[in-house]
């Protein structure tokens, strides 16, 4: 087992195509390592695929962010937890989590998501039209990666897209590790205040969107709660655009840098969904969502995690576990990597994964079909990455054609 003095979290990810050396070392040395977090407290870290799935599937590990010693990857992470009534599903445990997830699960079924395909295709085509009509080079993050999921989540929730700058600025403040505690609290409070007003307007006149339908449904069931709806809106808005935006950018750069792999989906678009799974495994942009606290003593990988101790599951490290994924550093679009943990695992597995998969499929198929000559306008090592964010991605992606 590696000692606390040797390891500090978070570890900056500086290259899209290689893991931090610390991840490799932790995974090779032991199933679990002891680390020190930004706030000074200690936690366990799981870096192997088997132990990652064990922890994420075990109800003896709590997701409750209000518990003492919860392992936040950003200093002051607990500062935004001011109202337990607005707790999001990501921070709930069973049975509360099971009930909350069941309420909204119908909005994310394959059938419901598939009904959104024509509109998402229309959004992607429109943005590519604008991209092609504009100057070269262009920033794909600004022109496509961020607008696609932002427009989709706005339409899904019934959030005016004209407000996207407002919520994107505050979301970035929340996921950036370097944000001060006071600024983090302010960003959270402002976003929740905005969503409270949005929910209040839908309470008066429910619209045909996810929030409007949930308000009507829960009123009929006698379970409606204003604060709970704010918590749901907060989770879906924050998680629903920044994550997918970064996967679009990273997936694009991965395909551009691996033209032989890209030819696989260009020759057979039916393989794009398979390719999306490998891209999700390869880049694994989210890690902070898989933090837990043990509620009783649990033995994992020959190590006893004691009740009250924090645990971080590093999905990126687990998804590059060579015991599970042969030559994990190789991008192989036909690998068939659906057992990855990029969407988590167990009861808290990402609610919106069907929607994310479809957005990525549509973007990659459409982008390379319509702009077959797309290429990077700057060397990969000159493209700035989000080193200080809890969601890994790119600030810019300069492209030309």
């Amino acid at each position: 087992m590696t000692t606390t003095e040797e390891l500090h979290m978070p570890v900056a990810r500086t290259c899209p195509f290689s893991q931090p050396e610390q991840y490799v070392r932790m995974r090779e040395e032991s199933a679990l390592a002891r680390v020190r977090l930004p706030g000074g407290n200690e936690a366990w870290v799981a870096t192997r695929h088997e132990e990652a799935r064990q922890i994420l599937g075990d109800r003896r590990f709590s997701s409750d962010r209000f518990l003492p010693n919860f392992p936040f990857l950003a200093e002051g992470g607990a500062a935004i937890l001011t109202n337990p009534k607005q707790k999001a599903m990501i921070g709930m445990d069973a049975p509360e989590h099971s009930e909350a997830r069941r309420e909204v699960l119908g909005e994310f079924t394959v059938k419901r998501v598939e009904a959104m395909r024509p509109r998402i295709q229309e959004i992607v085509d429109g943005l590519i039209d604008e991209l092609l009509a504009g100057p070269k080079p262009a920033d794909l993050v600004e022109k496509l990666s961020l607008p696609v999921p932002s427009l989709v989540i706005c339409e899904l929730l019934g959030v005016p897209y004209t407000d996207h700058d407002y919520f994107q600025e505050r979301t970035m403040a929340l996921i950036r590790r370097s944000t001060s505690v006071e600024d983090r609290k302010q960003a959270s409070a402002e976003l929740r205040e905005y969503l409270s007003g949005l929910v209040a307007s839908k309470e008066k006149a429910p619209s045909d969107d996810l929030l409007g339908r949930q308000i009507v449904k829960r009123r009929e069931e006698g379970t409606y709660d204003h604060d709970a709806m704010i918590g749901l809106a907060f989770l879906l808005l924050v998680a629903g655009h920044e994550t997918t935006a970064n996967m679009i950018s990273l997936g694009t750069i991965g395909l551009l840098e691996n033209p032989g792999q890209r030819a696989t989906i260009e020759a057979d678009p039916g393989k794009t969904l398979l390719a999306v799974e490998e891209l999700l495994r390869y880049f694994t942009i989210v890690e902070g969502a898989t933090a837990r606290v043990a509620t009783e003593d649990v033995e994992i990988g020959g190590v006893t995690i004691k009740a009250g101790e924090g645990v971080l599951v590093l999905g990126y490290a687990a998804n590059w576990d060579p015991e599970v994924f042969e030559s994990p550093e190789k991008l192989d679009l036909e690998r068939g990597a659906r057992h990855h943990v990029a969407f988590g695992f167990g009861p808290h597995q990402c609610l919106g994964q069907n929607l994310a998969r479809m957005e990525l499929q549509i973007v990659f198929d459409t982008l390379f079909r319509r702009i077959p000559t797309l290429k990077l306008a700057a060397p990969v090592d000159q493209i700035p990455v989000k080193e200080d964010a809890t969601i890994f991605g790119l600030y810019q992606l300069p492209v030309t054609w």
Side-chain angles (χ1 to χ4, degrees):
M1 183 178 66
T2 312
T3 64
T4 304
E5 287 72 28
E6 292 178 306
L7 296 172
H8 292 77
M9 292 293 294
V11 176
R13 291 169 58 175
T14 59
C15 175
F17 300 109
S18 63
Q19 291 214 318
E21 183 275 332
Q22 294 96 321
Y23 283 17
V24 177
R25 180 159 54 91
M26 283 192 286
R27 189 176 55 235
E28 289 177 348
E29 290 183 356
S30 59
L32 291 159
R34 199 83 169 128
V35 299
R36 190 172 297 282
L37 301 175
N41 56 317
E42 298 178 9
W44 293 100
V45 167
T47 54
R48 296 177 183 172
H49 190 267
E50 181 180 350
E51 285 75 21
R53 286 166 64 105
Q54 285 179 14
I55 292 167
L56 296 177
D58 194 325
R59 295 184 184 275
R60 293 174 294 178
F61 292 98
S62 173
S63 297
D64 190 347
R65 270 89 175 131
F66 285 88
L67 286 177
N69 211 33
F70 189 87
F72 291 99
L73 273 176
E75 189 170 2
I80 67 173
L81 304 174
T82 57
N83 187 350
K85 293 182 179 180
Q86 293 180 4
K87 184 190 295 184
M89 276 185 290
I90 196 173
M92 296 179 183
D93 296 325
E96 182 185 23
H97 171 259
S98 306
E99 295 169 358
R101 190 177 176 98
R102 192 179 305 116
E103 286 279 7
V104 74
L105 194 60
E107 297 285 350
F108 294 97
T109 62
V110 173
K111 182 178 180 180
R112 170 76 78 171
V113 168
E114 192 61 31
M116 299 175 65
R117 182 179 291 274
R119 177 56 183 143
I120 296 175
Q121 183 67 62
E122 183 182 8
I123 288 171
V124 172
D125 278 325
L127 290 167
I128 292 178
D129 285 343
E130 294 178 10
L131 176 69
L132 290 170
K136 296 187 289 185
D139 177 12
L140 202 73
V141 171
E142 176 188 354
K143 298 298 183 181
L144 186 71
S145 303
L146 194 53
V148 168
S150 295
L151 279 162
V152 170
I153 200 65
C154 282
E155 292 201 9
L156 180 69
L157 298 181
V159 175
Y161 184 67
T162 51
D163 295 342
H164 73 280
D165 283 342
Y166 184 90
F167 68 74
Q168 284 167 4
E169 287 172 4
R170 282 145 188 83
T171 297
M172 273 307 302
L174 291 174
I175 69 171
R176 190 178 290 121
R177 297 186 180 112
S178 58
T179 302
S180 69
V181 174
E182 286 306 311
D183 286 346
R184 195 179 302 280
K185 289 171 64 176
Q186 182 177 343
S188 176
E190 290 176 352
L191 188 52
R192 290 182 186 277
E193 183 179 1
Y194 167 81
L195 290 171
S196 179
L198 179 72
V199 169
S201 70
K202 294 180 184 296
E203 289 169 346
K204 296 176 182 176
S207 46
D208 186 20
D209 48 56
L210 186 149
L211 293 180
R213 290 190 294 268
Q214 284 292 303
I215 289 170
V216 171
K217 175 176 178 287
R218 297 183 189 198
R219 278 175 170 170
E220 291 174 349
E221 295 171 346
T223 61
Y224 182 70
D225 181 85
H226 178 82
D227 284 327
M229 193 58 58
I230 293 172
L232 175 63
F234 187 93
L235 171 64
L236 296 179
L237 187 63
V238 172
H241 72 277
E242 187 72 34
T243 50
T244 305
N246 285 301
M247 268 309 307
I248 290 173
S249 298
L250 290 168
T252 299
I253 202 173
L255 292 169
L256 288 175
E257 288 295 284
N258 292 272
Q261 291 291 303
R262 187 176 75 246
T264 298
I265 61 174
E266 290 176 330
D268 183 2
K271 293 182 177 180
T272 305
L273 273 178
L274 192 66
V276 164
E277 299 303 326
E278 171 66 352
L279 290 166
L280 287 162
R281 177 202 72 83
Y282 191 83
F283 293 111
T284 314
I285 60 170
V286 180
E287 291 179 337
T290 51
R292 301 287 188 270
V293 174
T295 57
E296 58 182 270
D297 291 359
V298 186
E299 184 176 328
I300 299 288
V303 174
T304 298
I305 301 173
K306 296 181 179 180
E309 291 185 328
V311 187
L312 284 166
V313 173
L314 297 185
Y316 185 37
N319 280 338
W320 280 44
D321 187 342
E323 294 297 318
V324 180
F325 304 100
E326 185 178 354
S327 301
E329 73 287 349
K330 178 183 177 183
L331 184 67
D332 180 1
L333 299 188
E334 297 188 80
R335 183 189 296 273
R338 283 198 68 113
H339 52 306
H340 63 72
V341 291
F343 287 124
F345 183 75
H348 279 274
Q349 194 167 23
C350 177
L351 187 67
Q353 61 183 289
N354 291 328
L355 179 59
R357 286 187 173 101
M358 188 170 70
E359 288 182 67
L360 294 169
Q361 178 194 18
I362 291 172
V363 166
F364 296 142
D365 276 342
T366 309
L367 181 62
F368 291 106
R369 172 175 52 81
R370 294 196 55 189
I371 317 179
T373 57
L374 189 73
K375 59 184 178 181
L376 296 179
V380 173
D381 59 5
Q382 293 182 18
I383 298 174
V385 299
K386 293 179 178 178
E387 293 182 42
D388 69 335
T390 55
I391 298 175
F392 183 66
L394 308 174
Y395 283 115
Q396 300 169 0
L397 182 52
V399 295
T400 188
W401 52 93

